[in-house]
Amino acid sequence: MKKTALLIAALLSVGTLAQAQADTLADIKSSGKITVGIDPTFPPYEYTDDKGEITGYSVAIMQSFANDLGVKLEFQKTAFSGILPGLISGSFNAEGSSLNVTAERAKKVLFTVPYSKTVNGVLVREAEAKTFSGKTLSPESLSGLRGAVKTASVPEQLLKGFNEQLKKEGKKPITIINVDSLDQTVSTLMTKRADFVYDD
């Protein structure tokens, strides 16, 4: 299981933690708004509804946070792979997309308290579901297949780790197909460019 949290501030080092938080919150309050980078392509957490409005569970949390600060909430749509670079560079004050908490990411950014737990799984076309039925998911069961994942995601890193294991065992690697959104992973699967989607 992985924990998901919102990011509220970019940090240069552990030693700057308190100062970075104080400066960021003071800046947000004085400007009267909080700018949030978001990739609204991951329902039900964050997505664009039929009216073109960004909504979802993570969005509700960010709105509550903005309300508590007494500031206006503004979203800046960003590709998932640009979320952390944008936060670290100061393009926005906070990150509003569901993001897995990892030790590597925690070296660069400050996470809030995690608010969700997820597990990664394999999504296949119905016609191929019998191939996986009753099997335990393992790197070996994916050997030689093509898997679609979001760029810069934890599932992408996990597939890379699977490939390291398969290489050591002398087995065919997984062909990793990188895309920008969950919708694109599913589209890649349904057009048969990929054999499976790996995501949480």
Side-chain angles (χ1 to χ4, degrees):
M1 285 195 182
K2 301 181 319 271
K3 294 179 180 178
T4 305
L6 299 172
L7 295 172
I8 59 171
L11 302 178
L12 298 176
S13 69
V14 174
T16 62
L17 177 63
Q19 189 64 41
Q21 283 180 302
D23 288 348
T24 301
L25 290 175
D27 291 343
I28 290 168
K29 286 181 178 181
S30 68
S31 72
K33 68 177 180 179
I34 182 169
T35 305
V36 176
I38 193 166
D39 176 23
T41 62
F42 193 62
Y45 290 96
E46 57 274 345
Y47 62 99
T48 304
D49 66 17
D50 294 338
K51 297 176 184 175
E53 296 178 5
I54 298 173
T55 189
Y57 187 56
S58 299
V59 174
I61 291 172
M62 290 306 300
Q63 186 61 65
S64 176
F65 183 67
N67 291 345
D68 287 347
L69 290 176
V71 297
K72 181 182 177 184
L73 176 63
E74 290 185 2
F75 288 112
Q76 183 175 324
K77 288 186 181 181
T78 306
F80 186 79
S81 59
I83 291 285
L84 284 179
L87 180 65
I88 292 167
S89 71
S91 296
F92 31 81
N93 307 117
E95 185 281 321
S97 287
S98 300
L99 192 69
N100 295 312
V101 177
T102 68
E104 188 63 30
R105 287 172 174 169
K107 292 176 186 176
K108 300 174 185 175
V109 295
L110 175 66
F111 284 95
T112 63
V113 174
Y115 63 87
S116 177
K117 289 185 179 182
T118 62
V119 294
N120 285 300
V122 169
L123 174 69
V124 296
R125 293 179 296 275
E126 186 176 7
E128 284 83 33
K130 290 179 183 176
T131 305
F132 291 91
S133 182
K135 291 184 180 179
T136 301
L137 179 64
S138 66
E140 292 80 9
S141 67
L142 302 175
S143 174
L145 299 178
R146 300 164 298 161
V149 291
K150 287 189 299 188
T151 300
S153 67
V154 168
E156 177 192 29
Q157 295 305 313
L158 291 171
L159 288 189
K160 287 179 179 179
F162 289 176
N163 275 345
E164 289 175 16
Q165 181 179 333
L166 291 169
K167 183 178 178 181
K168 288 178 186 175
E169 296 173 358
K171 296 182 178 173
K172 288 184 179 181
I174 300 160
T175 300
I176 301 172
I177 301 171
N178 296 92
V179 295
D180 291 327
S181 70
L182 179 61
D183 288 348
Q184 290 173 350
T185 63
V186 175
S187 176
T188 302
L189 175 68
M190 298 314 293
T191 57
K192 300 189 177 182
R193 287 181 46 226
D195 300 305
F196 67 91
V197 168
Y198 195 56
D199 209 326
D200 58 351

